[in-house]
Amino acid sequence: MEKINFTAGPSILPKEVTEALAQATLNYNDSGLSLLEISHRSDTFMEIIEEAQQLVRDLLKLPSNYEVLFLSGGSTTQFALAPYNLLPNNGSAGYLDTGTWSTKAINAAEMYGLVDVCASSHDKNYNYIPRDYRIDPDWTYVHLTSNNTIYGTQINELPDTGDVPIVIDMCSDIFSKKIENIERFGMIYASAQKNLGPAGTTLVIINKDLLGKTGRDIPDAFNYQKHIAKKSVLNTPPVYAIYGCLIMLRWLKKKGLNQIERRNTEKSKILYDEIDNNPNFIPHVRNSEDRSVMNITFTLAKPTKEKAFDVFAENHGFIGFKGHRSVGGYRASLYNAMEKGGAEKFVKMLRDFSWRFGG
Ligand code: PMP
């Protein structure tokens, strides 16, 4: 039976990516070697990483003062490295608290400087994006979580932060849409395993003009300037994961971010329309302006039917849509690689379930 993968991450990838990785694992580009066996100092790998970096530059139209790194350690590591590299001990930064991942970023930043939590949606279990908070022009940066994977909220309109650069966690919506006015961002970071490729590497895009201003010594492995100087090969990088990102970036470039954005919007609309109109389902996020196009969260109107729903959906080939334990219910993740047909089939399953078990 066909399986359709709605997992929050590591998640669905285009067939082009898994097939290229399978082929490269056996015999990379007819070299007679597996991709797993090549040196990260070889020309072969340097061509891979340089093309991947260039594709990121092209997709986001990055100005020359921005650098593109592929690092290890996930977005969780960037929660600490961003303030470590950007925030002076006596400096302050604004953090918008939109859930678990921003809370972790706040906890890490508090070790390096003063953190001002400008607003929080904790009062309603993070089912909305706070608005109308004050941006302090003295902040070194303001930190946002672009898409809140667990709750299904997304910042669909960035706040006007004036001259204060935005540091943003785009772990679960990178390359899901166009990014306008890239100069507003001091730093963008995103683990690969949702929209960009296999787990194991994290994309870091940084305005290098902001670096070297903290006055603190930073060990090489944690120091963005050192990684930039060594072109992401300061130590052995995750070769395999970066190659997967390269194939995904080629796929994204071929489609174009306009088409990707249109497709993502269409997919999420198909699903939101159903859970808004079918009385058997309740959306977690009510305000359509705060809804994520990547992670659609909902509960059953009658939670006693959860067991029946789980079995029904699994028997029809749908996997990975269980909600995060802090929200409960369900979460269908519709990342870049999910076809429109996947969302349509999910909706058909919701209707079939309602017909048999609903009411
Ligand atoms: N930020 C967001 C928005 C996430 O969804 C996740 C992981 N799901 C993380 C950060 C942490 O990423 P990692 O596990 O790669 O450190």
Side-chain angles (χ1 to χ4, degrees):
M1 190 203 338
E2 181 199 16
K3 291 244 194 302
I4 311 186
N5 183 2
F6 291 87
T7 315
S11 47
I12 187 169
L13 287 169
K15 227 163 59 153
E16 286 88 333
V17 175
T18 49
E19 284 176 357
L21 283 168
Q23 178 55 47
T25 303
L26 298 173
N27 180 4
Y28 179 72
N29 262 359
D30 279 333
S31 63
L33 285 179
S34 165
L35 178 69
L36 300 172
E37 300 171 316
I38 63 164
S39 162
H40 63 293
R41 304 272 172 215
S42 62
D43 289 347
T44 308
F45 179 66
M46 286 319 292
E47 278 166 23
I48 290 172
I49 193 165
E50 280 168 11
E51 185 185 340
Q53 286 165 327
Q54 190 56 48
L55 283 167
V56 172
R57 302 197 81 89
D58 295 347
L59 279 163
L60 300 182
K61 299 188 178 64
L62 288 182
S64 59
N65 55 330
Y66 283 75
E67 295 286 346
V68 177
L69 301 171
F70 285 95
L71 302 180
S72 309
S75 295
T76 302
T77 301
Q78 302 312 316
F79 295 159
L81 295 198
Y84 200 13
N85 282 265
L86 296 171
L87 186 59
N89 289 334
N90 58 356
S92 63
Y95 273 71
L96 185 66
D97 174 26
T98 49
T100 297
W101 300 112
S102 38
T103 308
K104 286 180 193 273
I106 289 165
N107 292 341
E110 278 171 344
M111 297 182 196
Y112 301 101
L114 224 102
V115 170
D116 203 347
V117 178
C118 42
S120 169
S121 45
H122 182 242
D123 58 335
K124 293 197 174 149
N125 199 17
Y126 299 113
N127 71 356
Y128 71 102
I129 299 289
R131 289 186 169 72
D132 298 329
Y133 44 89
R134 205 180 79 82
I135 303 288
D136 185 335
D138 289 334
W139 287 338
T140 305
Y141 61 82
V142 57
H143 181 280
L144 306 172
T145 311
S146 172
N147 182 69
N148 298 281
T149 327
I150 293 175
Y151 313 91
T153 61
Q154 190 169 17
I155 300 178
N156 289 311
E157 200 176 329
L158 287 168
D160 178 1
T161 63
D163 289 335
V164 181
I166 297 173
V167 171
I168 193 158
D169 171 355
M170 286 196 184
C171 186
S172 51
D173 66 354
I174 187 90
F175 298 127
S176 65
K177 56 184 174 185
K178 293 181 300 294
I179 301 182
E180 312 283 359
N181 300 334
I182 198 79
E183 296 82 3
R184 282 180 298 182
F185 299 100
M187 174 180 167
I188 297 172
Y189 61 95
S191 321
Q193 68 267 17
K194 299 169 199 299
N195 269 328
L196 185 55
T201 190
T202 304
L203 175 65
V204 172
I205 299 162
I206 184 125
N207 176 349
K208 64 182 170 197
D209 300 341
L210 304 177
L211 296 173
K213 297 184 174 167
T214 62
R216 67 170 69 91
D217 291 331
I218 302 176
D220 288 3
F222 307 139
N223 188 326
Y224 292 144
Q225 284 181 314
K226 300 283 181 189
H227 282 287
I228 291 168
K230 297 285 183 185
K231 299 181 178 225
S232 282
V233 231
L234 180 122
N235 64 325
T236 315
V239 169
Y240 188 79
I242 293 170
Y243 180 66
C245 290
L246 169 62
I247 305 298
M248 184 77 188
L249 285 160
R250 283 182 187 159
W251 182 87
L252 287 164
K253 176 96 188 271
K254 202 166 80 194
K255 294 212 175 304
L257 291 187
N258 281 329
Q259 192 197 325
I260 291 281
E261 178 169 351
R262 208 173 318 119
R263 190 166 92 142
N264 284 335
T265 309
E266 278 172 16
K267 286 181 309 195
S268 65
K269 183 172 180 332
I270 290 169
L271 210 43
Y272 281 122
D273 280 352
E274 184 63 19
I275 57 174
D276 279 340
N277 294 311
N278 184 331
N280 292 292
F281 305 101
I282 301 171
H284 179 63
V285 182
R286 301 278 177 170
N287 183 356
S288 60
E289 286 168 19
D290 294 345
R291 284 179 167 174
S292 168
V293 298
M294 300 274 93
N295 314 97
I296 286 79
T297 46
F298 63 94
T299 48
L300 299 189
K302 294 198 177 138
T304 49
K305 293 187 177 162
E306 277 201 3
K307 189 83 209 130
F309 182 67
D310 293 352
V311 172
F312 186 83
E314 204 182 308
N315 286 344
H316 287 81
F318 297 91
I319 60 159
F321 55 88
K322 200 85 184 140
H324 189 271
R325 61 195 170 282
S326 57
V327 177
Y330 298 93
R331 166 178 54 179
S333 297
L334 306 176
Y335 294 123
N336 286 341
M338 175 66 69
E339 301 281 346
K340 192 171 154 192
E344 287 166 344
K345 285 178 188 159
F346 195 80
V347 163
K348 181 172 181 318
M349 181 272 290
L350 295 181
R351 287 185 188 163
D352 289 348
F353 174 78
S354 306
W355 186 74
R356 281 198 49 192
F357 296 90

